[in-house]
Amino acid sequence: MNARSRSLGWDATAAIEALAAADAALWEWTPAQDQIRFTGSTRSLGLGPLAPECSGAAFIALAQPQDRALAERILKPQDEGAEIAVRLRMRGSEVCLWRGVWLEDGLRAAGMVALETKFAGSDKDALTGLLDRRTFVARVAETLTQAGEYELIVADVDRLRRLNEALGHERADLVLSALGSRLSAAFSHAAAPARIGEDEFAVLLPRGAAGPADRVREALEQPLRVAGFDIYPTVSIGAVATEGGPDAPDASELLRRAELAVEQAKSAGRGGAAAYGRALESDSLSRLAMESDLRNAFVRGEIEPFFQPIVNLHTGAVAGFEALARWRHPRRGLVPPDEFLTLTDEMGLMNDLGLLMMTQAAKQLAEWLHRHPTAGALFCSVNLSVGEIERANLVEDVDRIIRETGLPRGALKLEVTEGDIMRDTARAAEVLKQLKEVGASLALDDFGTGFSSLSYLAKLPFDTLKIDRYFVLTMDKDEGSAKIVKSVVNLGRDLSLEVVAEGVENAGLAIRLVEASCHYGQGFGYAPALPAQEAEVYLNESLADGAAPLKQRSA
């Protein structure tokens, strides 16, 4: 790999031919070195016989005189994450679309440039230069008129939405652009590589081609470096085989089958692969039915909170509960949380679920406090889903819920993960401050599993740290875990934060946590998540006996 390839973060050399065919190029501008580098076609972009590397002044001179101020705008350093989108007339009256983003605190910019005429009303995807979906279907239909065996491969980029959330759309587009270039470079034009959806690529190959799915995976799963982050793409692959000729299936139908296989592959986890078979049709119908049922579940009130007790380790009294979503399906009974939470996320309903859980948990807690005034400072924790802290109306909704239920300050506790904070620490800090101001308390969930918490923990208005259950469960077997637990408890004390240990499965672990001076514990050693009525019975027993029942040490 040459120097330009390393600086761009992917094997640019392998993609040059593909970029040239698409009348597109990748560019990278480093102000400190006064150097702009290109990978791909430059002559066809109206840049003339431009060298792969040139100075900023040389680049500006290639723009039409009236557009040179726009060329200067492309090169002007900006804050990290600032987007570049410029329509620039080059020599020969060529109009180019320049897209990119500033990286590394404004020390570098990178992006893609393409001819406007190439993509306006063309058969190419503007971001990658590959065939678009409509043209791909037409190409497949044309190919299938010829006798022979073929395989249609669809590759879905895993967790693209998470990538968008973490990097922003512009930088995520750079990843997709690079993946498209790789795919085009890896296959001949006869293979008809295409981008058929936001995160989906497709290739049609002769059946005799060796390991087509493996070739697609090899092309797309090489590491990238974008915005200072090492990205390791994974793809889920679906394949469908067919014969060409007069009885060949409709091209659109063939693509539908391949996409159905992709869904099957994704259901098994990231990086999976599946081939189309008739059984997938019934599975697909079942999934459609489940999606319909889940949408209706929100309307019909089938989603409800179950409550897992959080116990004061020193007194044994119930201090609060964590509300966890459960779905009472009218025919299937309780749907396993992992199953319907994954589907909820895929359907884009996590924010709806979060608001529902906050509302119901707050109402239930208010009822308990009314009926059991001796319960003291009882609280209820609710998890904020990934990205929910960035939801526009979150603070307003929390304020409204607390006012309508009359909960005392701090009774509604919102749990946030480190990953949510790291995406935009400054914004997260402001939102957390506002949530505290309207009366919520805040917990940092799964503490100890990340690597950046100490740098900002003292600056953010948390009330509670929650130790990940893994460290608690392994305290007896791994002295390192025991030391981590003790360190987190000490850190919490030094920062005046309460500490909750998850995964308290037996009395032995509870004793170890008490010895470490941990405040609270929750886990199956006390109780699983319980329906509201059973949780209230558990609370009553704790109030009557002065302590929550706890299992003895496991054998």
Side-chain angles (χ1 to χ4, degrees), residues 433-455:
K433 176 184 176 183
Q434 293 174 11
L435 289 171
K436 285 275 288 189
E437 289 173 351
V438 300
S441 59
L442 302 169
L444 182 59
D445 198 12
D446 296 336
F447 187 78
T449 59
F451 301 96
S452 306
S453 301
L454 295 179
S455 64

PDB file of all heavy atoms in Angstrom, residues 433-455:
ATOM      1  N   LYS A 433     -27.625  18.104  32.203  1.00  0.00           N
ATOM      2  CA  LYS A 433     -27.842  19.229  33.118  1.00  0.00           C
ATOM      3  C   LYS A 433     -29.315  19.626  33.128  1.00  0.00           C
ATOM      4  O   LYS A 433     -29.908  19.861  34.202  1.00  0.00           O
ATOM      5  CB  LYS A 433     -26.972  20.402  32.700  1.00  0.00           C
ATOM      6  CG  LYS A 433     -27.182  21.665  33.536  1.00  0.00           C
ATOM      7  CD  LYS A 433     -26.347  22.823  32.992  1.00  0.00           C
ATOM      8  CE  LYS A 433     -26.630  24.109  33.746  1.00  0.00           C
ATOM      9  NZ  LYS A 433     -25.866  25.262  33.176  1.00  0.00           N
ATOM     10  N   GLN A 434     -29.927  19.693  31.962  1.00  0.00           N
ATOM     11  CA  GLN A 434     -31.336  20.076  31.872  1.00  0.00           C
ATOM     12  C   GLN A 434     -32.244  19.016  32.500  1.00  0.00           C
ATOM     13  O   GLN A 434     -33.243  19.350  33.145  1.00  0.00           O
ATOM     14  CB  GLN A 434     -31.717  20.294  30.410  1.00  0.00           C
ATOM     15  CG  GLN A 434     -31.040  21.498  29.767  1.00  0.00           C
ATOM     16  CD  GLN A 434     -31.330  21.597  28.289  1.00  0.00           C
ATOM     17  OE1 GLN A 434     -32.190  20.901  27.758  1.00  0.00           O
ATOM     18  NE2 GLN A 434     -30.591  22.452  27.588  1.00  0.00           N
ATOM     19  N   LEU A 435     -31.901  17.743  32.331  1.00  0.00           N
ATOM     20  CA  LEU A 435     -32.697  16.677  32.950  1.00  0.00           C
ATOM     21  C   LEU A 435     -32.641  16.772  34.471  1.00  0.00           C
ATOM     22  O   LEU A 435     -33.656  16.555  35.154  1.00  0.00           O
ATOM     23  CB  LEU A 435     -32.187  15.308  32.485  1.00  0.00           C
ATOM     24  CG  LEU A 435     -32.476  14.953  31.020  1.00  0.00           C
ATOM     25  CD1 LEU A 435     -31.742  13.683  30.618  1.00  0.00           C
ATOM     26  CD2 LEU A 435     -33.984  14.780  30.788  1.00  0.00           C
ATOM     27  N   LYS A 436     -31.482  17.104  35.003  1.00  0.00           N
ATOM     28  CA  LYS A 436     -31.370  17.291  36.454  1.00  0.00           C
ATOM     29  C   LYS A 436     -32.215  18.477  36.913  1.00  0.00           C
ATOM     30  O   LYS A 436     -32.874  18.423  37.958  1.00  0.00           O
ATOM     31  CB  LYS A 436     -29.899  17.529  36.822  1.00  0.00           C
ATOM     32  CG  LYS A 436     -29.047  16.291  36.775  1.00  0.00           C
ATOM     33  CD  LYS A 436     -29.108  15.489  38.056  1.00  0.00           C
ATOM     34  CE  LYS A 436     -28.363  16.214  39.154  1.00  0.00           C
ATOM     35  NZ  LYS A 436     -28.226  15.368  40.358  1.00  0.00           N
ATOM     36  N   GLU A 437     -32.214  19.540  36.123  1.00  0.00           N
ATOM     37  CA  GLU A 437     -32.945  20.748  36.500  1.00  0.00           C
ATOM     38  C   GLU A 437     -34.444  20.501  36.577  1.00  0.00           C
ATOM     39  O   GLU A 437     -35.141  21.128  37.389  1.00  0.00           O
ATOM     40  CB  GLU A 437     -32.639  21.867  35.509  1.00  0.00           C
ATOM     41  CG  GLU A 437     -31.225  22.426  35.635  1.00  0.00           C
ATOM     42  CD  GLU A 437     -30.887  23.418  34.541  1.00  0.00           C
ATOM     43  OE1 GLU A 437     -31.695  23.534  33.582  1.00  0.00           O
ATOM     44  OE2 GLU A 437     -29.824  24.074  34.620  1.00  0.00           O
ATOM     45  N   VAL A 438     -34.974  19.591  35.722  1.00  0.00           N
ATOM     46  CA  VAL A 438     -36.420  19.330  35.759  1.00  0.00           C
ATOM     47  C   VAL A 438     -36.788  18.261  36.774  1.00  0.00           C
ATOM     48  O   VAL A 438     -37.969  17.926  36.922  1.00  0.00           O
ATOM     49  CB  VAL A 438     -36.958  18.949  34.363  1.00  0.00           C
ATOM     50  CG1 VAL A 438     -36.704  20.060  33.370  1.00  0.00           C
ATOM     51  CG2 VAL A 438     -36.372  17.630  33.872  1.00  0.00           C
ATOM     52  N   GLY A 439     -35.783  17.700  37.492  1.00  0.00           N
ATOM     53  CA  GLY A 439     -36.105  16.819  38.607  1.00  0.00           C
ATOM     54  C   GLY A 439     -35.742  15.369  38.458  1.00  0.00           C
ATOM     55  O   GLY A 439     -36.040  14.558  39.343  1.00  0.00           O
ATOM     56  N   ALA A 440     -35.112  14.974  37.362  1.00  0.00           N
ATOM     57  CA  ALA A 440     -34.686  13.583  37.211  1.00  0.00           C
ATOM     58  C   ALA A 440     -33.340  13.386  37.899  1.00  0.00           C
ATOM     59  O   ALA A 440     -32.560  14.330  38.064  1.00  0.00           O
ATOM     60  CB  ALA A 440     -34.575  13.214  35.737  1.00  0.00           C
ATOM     61  N   SER A 441     -33.061  12.152  38.322  1.00  0.00           N
ATOM     62  CA  SER A 441     -31.709  11.803  38.741  1.00  0.00           C
ATOM     63  C   SER A 441     -31.085  10.969  37.627  1.00  0.00           C
ATOM     64  O   SER A 441     -31.785  10.460  36.748  1.00  0.00           O
ATOM     65  CB  SER A 441     -31.708  11.042  40.072  1.00  0.00           C
ATOM     66  OG  SER A 441     -32.470   9.853  39.984  1.00  0.00           O
ATOM     67  N   LEU A 442     -29.758  10.808  37.658  1.00  0.00           N
ATOM     68  CA  LEU A 442     -29.051  10.242  36.506  1.00  0.00           C
ATOM     69  C   LEU A 442     -28.082   9.159  36.956  1.00  0.00           C
ATOM     70  O   LEU A 442     -27.372   9.306  37.957  1.00  0.00           O
ATOM     71  CB  LEU A 442     -28.276  11.338  35.774  1.00  0.00           C
ATOM     72  CG  LEU A 442     -29.113  12.519  35.259  1.00  0.00           C
ATOM     73  CD1 LEU A 442     -28.198  13.649  34.807  1.00  0.00           C
ATOM     74  CD2 LEU A 442     -30.023  12.068  34.127  1.00  0.00           C
ATOM     75  N   ALA A 443     -28.059   8.076  36.181  1.00  0.00           N
ATOM     76  CA  ALA A 443     -27.135   6.976  36.456  1.00  0.00           C
ATOM     77  C   ALA A 443     -26.333   6.670  35.200  1.00  0.00           C
ATOM     78  O   ALA A 443     -26.867   6.675  34.089  1.00  0.00           O
ATOM     79  CB  ALA A 443     -27.904   5.729  36.899  1.00  0.00           C
ATOM     80  N   LEU A 444     -25.042   6.398  35.380  1.00  0.00           N
ATOM     81  CA  LEU A 444     -24.195   5.950  34.285  1.00  0.00           C
ATOM     82  C   LEU A 444     -24.181   4.432  34.312  1.00  0.00           C
ATOM     83  O   LEU A 444     -23.656   3.816  35.232  1.00  0.00           O
ATOM     84  CB  LEU A 444     -22.778   6.516  34.439  1.00  0.00           C
ATOM     85  CG  LEU A 444     -21.791   6.161  33.321  1.00  0.00           C
ATOM     86  CD1 LEU A 444     -22.293   6.656  31.964  1.00  0.00           C
ATOM     87  CD2 LEU A 444     -20.415   6.746  33.612  1.00  0.00           C
ATOM     88  N   ASP A 445     -24.766   3.827  33.292  1.00  0.00           N
ATOM     89  CA  ASP A 445     -24.964   2.378  33.257  1.00  0.00           C
ATOM     90  C   ASP A 445     -23.729   1.668  32.724  1.00  0.00           C
ATOM     91  O   ASP A 445     -22.947   2.236  31.958  1.00  0.00           O
ATOM     92  CB  ASP A 445     -26.166   2.062  32.362  1.00  0.00           C
ATOM     93  CG  ASP A 445     -26.726   0.667  32.603  1.00  0.00           C
ATOM     94  OD1 ASP A 445     -26.339   0.029  33.602  1.00  0.00           O
ATOM     95  OD2 ASP A 445     -27.548   0.217  31.785  1.00  0.00           O
ATOM     96  N   ASP A 446     -23.572   0.399  33.136  1.00  0.00           N
ATOM     97  CA  ASP A 446     -22.490  -0.474  32.651  1.00  0.00           C
ATOM     98  C   ASP A 446     -21.116   0.148  32.855  1.00  0.00           C
ATOM     99  O   ASP A 446     -20.219   0.004  32.016  1.00  0.00           O
ATOM    100  CB  ASP A 446     -22.681  -0.812  31.161  1.00  0.00           C
ATOM    101  CG  ASP A 446     -23.950  -1.622  30.927  1.00  0.00           C
ATOM    102  OD1 ASP A 446     -24.402  -2.282  31.872  1.00  0.00           O
ATOM    103  OD2 ASP A 446     -24.465  -1.586  29.805  1.00  0.00           O
ATOM    104  N   PHE A 447     -20.925   0.842  33.965  1.00  0.00           N
ATOM    105  CA  PHE A 447     -19.642   1.488  34.207  1.00  0.00           C
ATOM    106  C   PHE A 447     -18.554   0.424  34.360  1.00  0.00           C
ATOM    107  O   PHE A 447     -18.745  -0.601  35.015  1.00  0.00           O
ATOM    108  CB  PHE A 447     -19.686   2.349  35.466  1.00  0.00           C
ATOM    109  CG  PHE A 447     -18.449   3.176  35.673  1.00  0.00           C
ATOM    110  CD1 PHE A 447     -18.259   4.329  34.941  1.00  0.00           C
ATOM    111  CD2 PHE A 447     -17.466   2.782  36.560  1.00  0.00           C
ATOM    112  CE1 PHE A 447     -17.114   5.102  35.118  1.00  0.00           C
ATOM    113  CE2 PHE A 447     -16.328   3.541  36.740  1.00  0.00           C
ATOM    114  CZ  PHE A 447     -16.157   4.707  36.015  1.00  0.00           C
ATOM    115  N   GLY A 448     -17.412   0.685  33.738  1.00  0.00           N
ATOM    116  CA  GLY A 448     -16.303  -0.261  33.791  1.00  0.00           C
ATOM    117  C   GLY A 448     -16.078  -0.973  32.481  1.00  0.00           C
ATOM    118  O   GLY A 448     -15.024  -1.572  32.268  1.00  0.00           O
ATOM    119  N   THR A 449     -17.066  -0.923  31.570  1.00  0.00           N
ATOM    120  CA  THR A 449     -16.912  -1.598  30.282  1.00  0.00           C
ATOM    121  C   THR A 449     -16.298  -0.698  29.234  1.00  0.00           C
ATOM    122  O   THR A 449     -15.898  -1.160  28.169  1.00  0.00           O
ATOM    123  CB  THR A 449     -18.274  -2.104  29.765  1.00  0.00           C
ATOM    124  OG1 THR A 449     -19.160  -0.993  29.628  1.00  0.00           O
ATOM    125  CG2 THR A 449     -18.866  -3.102  30.738  1.00  0.00           C
ATOM    126  N   GLY A 450     -16.254   0.615  29.474  1.00  0.00           N
ATOM    127  CA  GLY A 450     -15.659   1.562  28.523  1.00  0.00           C
ATOM    128  C   GLY A 450     -14.290   1.993  28.979  1.00  0.00           C
ATOM    129  O   GLY A 450     -13.735   1.499  29.962  1.00  0.00           O
ATOM    130  N   PHE A 451     -13.713   2.955  28.238  1.00  0.00           N
ATOM    131  CA  PHE A 451     -12.341   3.356  28.507  1.00  0.00           C
ATOM    132  C   PHE A 451     -12.183   4.862  28.705  1.00  0.00           C
ATOM    133  O   PHE A 451     -11.097   5.333  28.957  1.00  0.00           O
ATOM    134  CB  PHE A 451     -11.442   2.925  27.346  1.00  0.00           C
ATOM    135  CG  PHE A 451     -11.458   1.445  27.112  1.00  0.00           C
ATOM    136  CD1 PHE A 451     -12.296   0.896  26.152  1.00  0.00           C
ATOM    137  CD2 PHE A 451     -10.669   0.604  27.861  1.00  0.00           C
ATOM    138  CE1 PHE A 451     -12.315  -0.468  25.938  1.00  0.00           C
ATOM    139  CE2 PHE A 451     -10.690  -0.764  27.655  1.00  0.00           C
ATOM    140  CZ  PHE A 451     -11.516  -1.299  26.691  1.00  0.00           C
ATOM    141  N   SER A 452     -13.268   5.616  28.574  1.00  0.00           N
ATOM    142  CA  SER A 452     -13.118   7.068  28.585  1.00  0.00           C
ATOM    143  C   SER A 452     -13.854   7.730  29.744  1.00  0.00           C
ATOM    144  O   SER A 452     -13.864   8.941  29.855  1.00  0.00           O
ATOM    145  CB  SER A 452     -13.643   7.649  27.257  1.00  0.00           C
ATOM    146  OG  SER A 452     -13.021   7.036  26.164  1.00  0.00           O
ATOM    147  N   SER A 453     -14.473   6.953  30.606  1.00  0.00           N
ATOM    148  CA  SER A 453     -15.362   7.537  31.598  1.00  0.00           C
ATOM    149  C   SER A 453     -14.664   8.495  32.549  1.00  0.00           C
ATOM    150  O   SER A 453     -15.209   9.532  32.897  1.00  0.00           O
ATOM    151  CB  SER A 453     -16.026   6.421  32.415  1.00  0.00           C
ATOM    152  OG  SER A 453     -16.753   5.572  31.571  1.00  0.00           O
ATOM    153  N   LEU A 454     -13.450   8.159  32.980  1.00  0.00           N
ATOM    154  CA  LEU A 454     -12.786   8.968  33.996  1.00  0.00           C
ATOM    155  C   LEU A 454     -12.510  10.385  33.517  1.00  0.00           C
ATOM    156  O   LEU A 454     -12.424  11.306  34.320  1.00  0.00           O
ATOM    157  CB  LEU A 454     -11.474   8.298  34.411  1.00  0.00           C
ATOM    158  CG  LEU A 454     -11.615   6.948  35.119  1.00  0.00           C
ATOM    159  CD1 LEU A 454     -10.246   6.386  35.446  1.00  0.00           C
ATOM    160  CD2 LEU A 454     -12.440   7.090  36.389  1.00  0.00           C
ATOM    161  N   SER A 455     -12.380  10.582  32.206  1.00  0.00           N
ATOM    162  CA  SER A 455     -12.033  11.895  31.690  1.00  0.00           C
ATOM    163  C   SER A 455     -13.159  12.900  31.808  1.00  0.00           C
ATOM    164  O   SER A 455     -12.932  14.095  31.777  1.00  0.00           O
ATOM    165  CB  SER A 455     -11.591  11.783  30.227  1.00  0.00           C
ATOM    166  OG  SER A 455     -12.678  11.341  29.429  1.00  0.00           O
TER     167      SER A 455
END
